[in-house]
Amino acid sequence: MQEGNNTSANGCGKIQSGTQNEAALLALMEKTGYSMVQENGQRKFGGPPPGWEGPPPPRGCEVFVGKIPRDMYEDELVPVFERAGKIYEFRLMMEFSGKFIGVCVSLDNCRLFIGAIPKEKKKEEILNEMKKITEGVVDVIVYPSATDKTKNRGFAFVEYESHRAAAMARRRLIPGTFQLWGHAIQVDWADPEKEVDEETMQRVKVLYVRNLMMSTTEDTIKAEFNKFKPGAVERVKKLRDYAFVHFFRREDAVAAMSVMNGKCIDGATIEVALAKPVNKESTWKQHFNGQISPISENLLGFPNKEDGHQKSLGKPSLPVRLNGHHGPGPSEVERCTYPFFPGIKLTPISMYSLNSSHFSSAAMHLDYFCNKNNWTLPEYYLYSTTSQDGKILLVYKVLIPSIADGSQSYFMPDKLCTTVEGARELAAQFTLLHL
């Protein structure tokens, strides 16, 4: 069980008289037999508890508890959570007071996102370096650049043996002063991919193909995947350097995956896996924390609830970094405000030092995403047309010079808007989805 958040670790060390009830904490330890130690800014109660035999509890047994009042400690908290069952471990950090607590299943995340990596570094170099500076590294996932397969994309995902190892690594690297190869790196949790149940996966007949050359065409991909069985491929949809290959029959998709994984197409070694089907509506709402307004849903082409059907889109089985949200409506804005009291100290910061969840605008989120990947900021070009009823309709083309090439020079949604703001947001959302 983990309490608090990463906003502060003040007071998480030794028991301090005057700010904590030392006698109550000592009585709790004597009563339960649990030990209490301070480790890396967290105070750990138990883990394992007295008399524990066997391995630690499996993944999925931990909950995260936030917004606990600042003056509450283990002597009050442990008895509350013991009502639900025996506690294996309780890790305590400080939080702000005066709020209701929130409890949810803890994400047992073992993967970190590392940004601002020199693009000429290979997987082996990044893996060896991460093993030197952090413990418990299992693997490093590096994606080649869409335009130059000899370079990486400026970021990597580091997989650790446990959530604890990943958390300790994040704590070591996150201050912002740590450098790799002379570069200040960016560190954050990698958003875990959405799990799809086995029954659903057994019906999938679409393959996700990545690491394609930008110049490779859909016709070439279809021809290559049809080689093992002519006519097996229904259609191909290519987006930048990855594609979805749709088959008429599932067994052909599975066979093609085994045959084609690791094959070379137009000089690029491709990777092939079954695409994970997700609902297009839920995917967008997941990216924007479910805070898409009805107007935006219509702009994005989401199906109406009365339609009685939903469209699905194959989603690559990759770690996802996007975790922003669309602009909240009036009620959400009101809930997100806090009183400003005289004397509150303000500290100047850069917007790029914030977490992506702080952005309510897709356009701002796109700026943040480009900055985090060391790309030039997006450029917006406005175009207009006139509807049949005489309305001026607007659309933006988005150009990101750092990744532009001959085959994909810009991003442009297939919907038009009646306002400049709407057109800009839609273009930014469309670009984020395809990046």
Side-chain angles (χ1 to χ4, degrees), residues 136-379:
V137 176
V138 174
D139 191 20
V140 168
I141 302 168
V142 183
Y143 301 123
S145 168
T147 55
D148 185 350
K149 299 302 181 184
T150 65
K151 296 181 179 179
N152 68 63
R153 296 191 181 184
F155 63 87
F157 295 93
V158 184
E159 187 79 19
Y160 288 86
E161 63 186 13
S162 66
H163 173 69
R164 177 178 174 78
M168 293 302 100
R170 179 176 178 269
R171 184 177 295 277
R172 173 174 169 78
L173 301 175
I174 207 170
T177 57
F178 204 94
Q179 294 189 342
L180 286 178
W181 303 290
H183 292 255
I185 60 172
Q186 298 158 343
V187 182
D188 204 347
W189 289 108
D191 292 343
E193 59 180 309
K194 183 176 178 63
E195 293 297 327
V196 180
D197 63 272
E198 186 62 28
E199 182 181 354
T200 301
M201 289 302 297
Q202 289 295 327
R203 298 194 298 269
V204 172
K205 53 183 180 179
V206 181
L207 296 182
Y208 169 67
V209 185
R210 64 174 299 270
N211 199 35
L212 291 161
M213 298 296 289
M214 295 289 287
S215 57
T216 299
T217 65
E218 291 179 352
D219 289 340
T220 298
I221 299 169
K222 186 173 184 178
E224 290 291 331
F225 276 81
N226 264 332
K227 281 183 177 179
F228 87 101
K229 185 177 180 180
V233 177
E234 179 185 4
R235 68 183 186 277
V236 174
K237 177 61 178 177
K238 182 174 184 280
L239 300 165
R240 290 183 60 76
D241 62 337
Y242 64 93
F244 296 96
V245 182
H246 297 250
F247 287 79
F248 289 103
R249 295 159 56 90
R250 173 179 165 78
E251 51 266 37
D252 292 338
V254 174
M257 177 175 62
S258 300
V259 172
M260 296 300 295
N261 188 39
K263 293 291 185 181
C264 187
I265 298 181
D266 291 342
T269 302
I270 63 172
E271 297 177 15
V272 185
L274 285 172
K276 290 191 174 182
V278 294
N279 178 264
K280 189 172 184 179
E281 176 181 2
S282 63
T283 301
W284 269 105
K285 290 186 177 182
Q286 179 183 352
H287 287 332
F288 296 96
N289 285 348
Q291 296 185 17
I292 298 181
S293 67
I295 294 177
S296 296
E297 291 188 0
N298 293 334
L299 289 175
L300 293 170
F302 289 154
N304 294 327
K305 293 180 180 178
E306 293 79 8
D307 287 348
H309 70 277
Q310 294 178 327
K311 296 181 179 179
S312 63
L313 174 69
K315 184 68 176 176
S317 173
L318 298 176
V320 179
R321 281 291 306 148
L322 300 182
N323 192 28
H325 57 279
H326 190 62
S331 59
E332 283 92 355
V333 171
E334 184 177 350
R335 287 200 300 268
C336 292
T337 59
Y338 295 85
F340 183 85
F341 297 108
I344 290 180
K345 183 180 179 181
L346 298 177
T347 304
I349 63 170
S350 166
M351 62 171 271
Y352 300 116
S353 67
L354 298 172
N355 186 282
S356 60
S357 62
H358 290 93
F359 299 107
S360 61
S361 158
M364 293 292 289
H365 191 107
L366 181 58
D367 284 359
Y368 172 87
F369 185 74
C370 290
N371 178 270
K372 198 152 193 173
N373 285 285
N374 290 325
W375 297 340
T376 51
L377 291 179
E379 299 174 1

Side-chain angles (χ1 to χ4, degrees), residues 34-80:
Y34 280 66
S35 61
M36 184 183 294
V37 296
Q38 184 220 342
E39 291 183 349
N40 300 294
Q42 297 181 353
R43 193 165 60 204
K44 187 174 73 169
F45 178 79
W52 182 272
E53 296 182 0
R59 295 179 67 173
C61 293
E62 182 178 272
V63 297
F64 173 87
V65 183
K67 303 180 182 178
I68 287 182
R70 197 177 179 88
D71 57 354
M72 291 185 69
Y73 300 97
E74 291 89 345
D75 59 304
E76 295 180 86
L77 297 172
V78 168
V80 171

Side-chain angles (χ1 to χ4, degrees), residues 8 22 53 56 70 90 100 105 107 116 135 165 169 239 312 316 352 356 371 407:
S8 174
E22 181 176 353
E53 296 182 0
R70 197 177 179 88
F90 188 100
F100 293 104
V105 175
L107 291 177
E135 297 180 0
L239 300 165
S312 63
Y352 300 116
S356 60
N371 178 270
S407 62

